Amino acid sequence: MTSDDSLHNHPAIMWFRSDLRTDDNAALHAASLHTSVLPVFIRDTANGERETGGAHDWWLHHSLERLQENMDRLGAPLVLLSGNPEELIPQLVKSSCASAVYWNRRYDPAFQSLDSRIKKDLQSDGIEVESFAGQLLHEPTKVRTSGDTYYKVYSPFWRAIEDTVEDRQPAPAPEKFNPVDTLPESEKLEDWNLLPTKPDWAGGLRETWTPGEKGAHERLEEFLSGAINGYANDRDLPGVESTSRLSPHLAHGEITPAQIIQALAESDTDASSKDRTVFRKEIGWREFSYHLLVNEPELPQVNHNSRFDDFPWNEDDEGLAAWQKGMTGYPIVDAGMRELWRTGWMHNRVRMVTASFLTKHLMIDWRHGERWFWDTLVDADPASNTASWQWVAGSGADAAPYFRIFNPIIQGEKFDPDGDYVRLNVPELAEMPSKYIHKPWDAPEDVLSKAGVRLGDTYPHPIVDHQKARQRALDAYDKIKDAA
Ligand code: FAD
């Protein structure tokens, strides 16, 4: 292909991956300049990537349904295929006589070499291949310290990108496409079995979420006309809808950080400049997580701080199971773990408390917790999940110092003072007075009995004693803290 004309007179393939949207989709926009477009989503069954979790798959099913509707409306039906993209993409190029393949960059190192291989092979056959930015506000390899390294501490990283976060302008929305002459046969979404059936555990997810691009923008609007006002103070209160809950939409690329930042800048909310700044900084944590992951591709498996390689983690299947089920006897921990199971999401403050409990009170390796979150979160994200787990465990970049061990009673009393969050998620404690809801074991017998609570029967005794568990973790840390 020599000139732009001959390039655009042929069809383009739009390869959707973790960018399940039509607006602010630079790759789709590039494809729309062609005479016709063949949009495809491939369920990769060949490249040994990390298996996605059940909650992610539930979301993916619904998000793909919405994308199918949008692409039908725009005139180019989405083709679903399973197999190896390395084989399928060249086959599609051939069968459709496409001159170009476009995609948006994904930053998970698991896909880096696959994407480069496909790009190289197609280019050597004279096919135009272009990948676009969009998932992030910055390119993780391009932000560098003055010493020409990547950032390992959040604050200077944020300072380095803060003034440019509004620079990335969303791509224009496409209007209408022509489909390719002969459409390859698409697989049926239902046949991919992404939804749980026996048992159907997704009732709480259905009640809580509206996957898809429209749902993402409605949620953003709702947030900007409500909870952004007061966000800086309230974002730590799990019993109040005080955060955006945009994370699963971001994880599936139904909305971009650039769209969020732009909507915030243009919004006529009364939110203070502090509310706006704190929210932008949270989006910055997502950027920082990707910055770390891209520069440390082994982050999902390997301690950022190698001192933790010698940490004496416990093999404690019983403790792990109690934590997963929300049966540790610590109400704020159990409320978080049950919110996660019911809705596929957990409030950030409680993610920190539950992760701290697992890694410090139970001294269970953060990788077990990361795996459970990966399987159960609708927003499971390779960068944010890994970086956050390591951050809480103490092994991560810019991590919370190990000796700062969250006290689950104080955390509950401080951030859920009336116990609303616990009452919602741990119904067997619903009648407990606020004074005891975060420490039912301290309640007099008549108070427990009035609330219908029988410790050890209707609700568990704490599986570890806070003070003893804290001391045990500190002693273990003492043994590794001076290691090289
Ligand atoms: P808001 O407060 O409205 O923030 C807006 C956006 O900023 C979020 O949607 C998210 O994209 C980003 N953000 C906010 N806080 C963080 C943070 N600490 N780190 C990175 N990005 C952030 N987030 C995920 O998206 N996927 C994960 O798999 C994930 N795993 C986590 C595991 C642990 C142990 C912890 C402590 C945190 C994890 N987080 C993860 C980060 C954070 O808890 C969620 O992003 C946040 O709770 C999402 O809710 P929200 O959209 O209402 O956030």
Side-chain angles (χ1 to χ4, degrees):
M1 303 295 152
T2 48
S3 73
D4 260 15
D5 273 355
S6 67
L7 178 75
H8 290 132
N9 284 337
H10 287 74
I13 290 175
M14 165 66 204
W15 181 17
F16 281 102
R17 295 107 63 88
S18 44
D19 51 348
L20 306 180
R21 64 180 180 278
T22 55
D23 282 8
D24 188 18
N25 189 324
L28 187 60
H29 175 66
S32 75
L33 306 177
H34 284 248
T35 173
S36 58
V37 178
L38 171 52
V40 62
F41 180 90
I42 298 172
R43 193 169 56 131
D44 189 338
T45 55
N47 288 290
E49 68 194 60
R50 184 175 188 188
E51 208 176 311
T52 49
H56 167 281
D57 288 352
W58 175 86
W59 192 289
L60 178 65
H61 178 98
H62 294 292
S63 194
L64 283 171
E65 271 181 341
R66 302 289 84 77
L67 186 64
Q68 283 179 318
E69 289 163 9
N70 286 343
M71 292 310 294
D72 283 346
R73 191 170 40 77
L74 289 166
L78 179 68
V79 172
L80 302 179
L81 297 175
S82 305
N84 187 352
E86 218 169 341
E87 290 162 11
L88 290 170
I89 297 279
Q91 282 167 16
L92 289 176
V93 167
K94 211 163 164 204
S95 65
S96 65
C97 298
S99 59
V101 179
Y102 300 119
W103 64 69
N104 292 302
R105 279 196 278 286
R106 45 187 174 183
Y107 297 88
D108 184 341
F111 301 112
Q112 294 294 307
S113 66
L114 174 69
D115 287 359
S116 326
R117 277 200 313 273
I118 296 179
K119 192 175 211 171
K120 212 165 125 231
D121 288 353
L122 290 170
Q123 283 172 336
S124 69
D125 287 341
I127 305 299
E128 164 92 357
V129 185
E130 208 172 333
S131 61
F132 295 86
Q135 192 184 336
L136 297 172
L137 296 165
H138 79 294
E139 288 304 296
T141 49
K142 298 219 167 107
V143 184
R144 308 291 288 172
T145 65
S146 54
D148 198 26
T149 58
Y150 65 96
Y151 285 91
K152 295 179 186 144
V153 180
Y154 170 75
S155 299
F157 167 80
W158 175 244
R159 278 197 297 277
I161 66 161
E162 184 177 12
D163 290 340
T164 58
V165 293
E166 271 164 24
D167 290 359
R168 180 160 282 167
Q169 293 300 312
E175 281 168 11
K176 203 79 193 148
F177 299 117
N178 294 318
V180 291
D181 289 340
T182 326
L183 211 58
E185 198 177 337
S186 173
E187 291 171 15
K188 287 199 176 61
L189 185 55
E190 303 77 62
D191 294 343
W192 285 7
N193 297 322
L194 297 171
L195 299 179
T197 47
K198 289 178 193 155
D200 172 11
W201 43 256
L205 277 66
R206 285 192 290 273
E207 275 167 28
T208 314
W209 303 104
T210 310
E213 192 167 3
K214 186 159 169 272
H217 287 275
E218 284 169 359
R219 197 164 276 273
L220 175 61
E221 264 173 49
E222 198 182 315
F223 175 65
L224 291 178
S225 60
I228 181 70
N229 198 342
Y231 177 83
N233 290 327
D234 297 346
R235 58 179 280 271
D236 267 325
L237 307 177
V240 180
E241 271 228 17
S242 54
T243 65
S244 72
R245 299 185 184 224
L246 282 166
S247 51
H249 298 287
L250 277 164
H252 292 265
E254 297 167 353
I255 195 165
T256 63
Q259 288 174 311
I260 297 173
I261 294 288
Q262 189 188 49
L264 177 65
E266 290 171 359
S267 143
D268 56 7
T269 162
D270 292 333
S272 65
S273 74
K274 187 171 175 208
D275 290 332
R276 291 165 185 262
T277 303
V278 172
F279 182 67
R280 284 157 53 109
K281 280 174 116 167
E282 291 308 312
I283 301 276
W285 272 102
R286 178 174 179 270
E287 300 283 317
F288 182 54
S289 302
Y290 272 97
H291 182 73
L292 289 173
L293 179 66
V294 166
N295 289 292
E296 285 181 34
E298 67 286 357
L299 198 69
Q301 296 88 31
V302 176
N303 292 310
H304 166 86
N305 178 344
S306 59
R307 257 187 289 160
F308 276 79
D309 294 352
D310 295 325
F311 193 80
W313 301 113
N314 273 340
E315 283 301 325
D316 175 4
D317 292 346
E318 237 175 78
L320 181 62
W323 178 81
Q324 289 170 336
K325 287 189 203 138
M327 294 294 278
T328 66
Y330 284 93
I332 192 75
V333 174
D334 295 341
M337 297 310 294
R338 296 197 210 176
E339 177 180 42
L340 174 60
W341 185 250
R342 187 170 55 81
T343 70
W345 185 88
M346 194 197 299
H347 187 278
N348 180 58
R349 166 63 45 185
V350 194
R351 290 189 204 204
M352 292 194 286
V353 175
T354 55
S356 170
F357 189 85
L358 185 80
T359 53
K360 299 183 180 175
H361 286 77
L362 301 182
M363 277 179 46
I364 292 177
D365 193 329
W366 60 266
R367 283 160 278 233
H368 287 291
E370 195 272 346
R371 223 172 290 145
W372 182 252
F373 273 30
W374 179 258
D375 195 32
T376 51
L377 277 172
V378 283
D379 64 21
D381 178 281
S384 299
N385 200 33
T386 309
S388 302
W389 268 98
Q390 292 227 35
W391 185 87
V392 177
S395 63
D398 200 9
Y402 188 86
F403 55 82
R404 229 176 262 156
I405 295 176
F406 283 117
N407 177 327
I409 306 146
I410 293 177
Q411 288 287 312
E413 289 174 344
K414 188 163 171 199
F415 297 110
D416 184 33
D418 299 325
D420 296 341
Y421 180 70
V422 167
R423 286 196 182 87
L424 174 68
N425 291 293
V426 188
E428 62 269 37
L429 296 179
E431 301 301 324
M432 282 295 283
S434 304
K435 184 174 174 195
Y436 296 111
I437 195 151
H438 293 292
K439 43 179 182 201
W441 56 87
D442 267 1
E445 212 32 69
D446 62 321
V447 172
L448 284 171
S449 135
K450 204 162 156 219
V453 177
R454 290 186 308 279
L455 288 179
D457 179 5
T458 61
Y459 184 69
H461 288 290
I463 57 170
V464 284
D465 173 83
H466 166 66
Q467 285 304 342
K468 284 190 195 143
R470 181 174 183 280
Q471 197 51 53
R472 180 179 67 159
L474 291 176
D475 291 346
Y477 178 63
D478 265 348
K479 294 194 187 115
I480 62 154
K481 80 172 194 276
D482 298 324

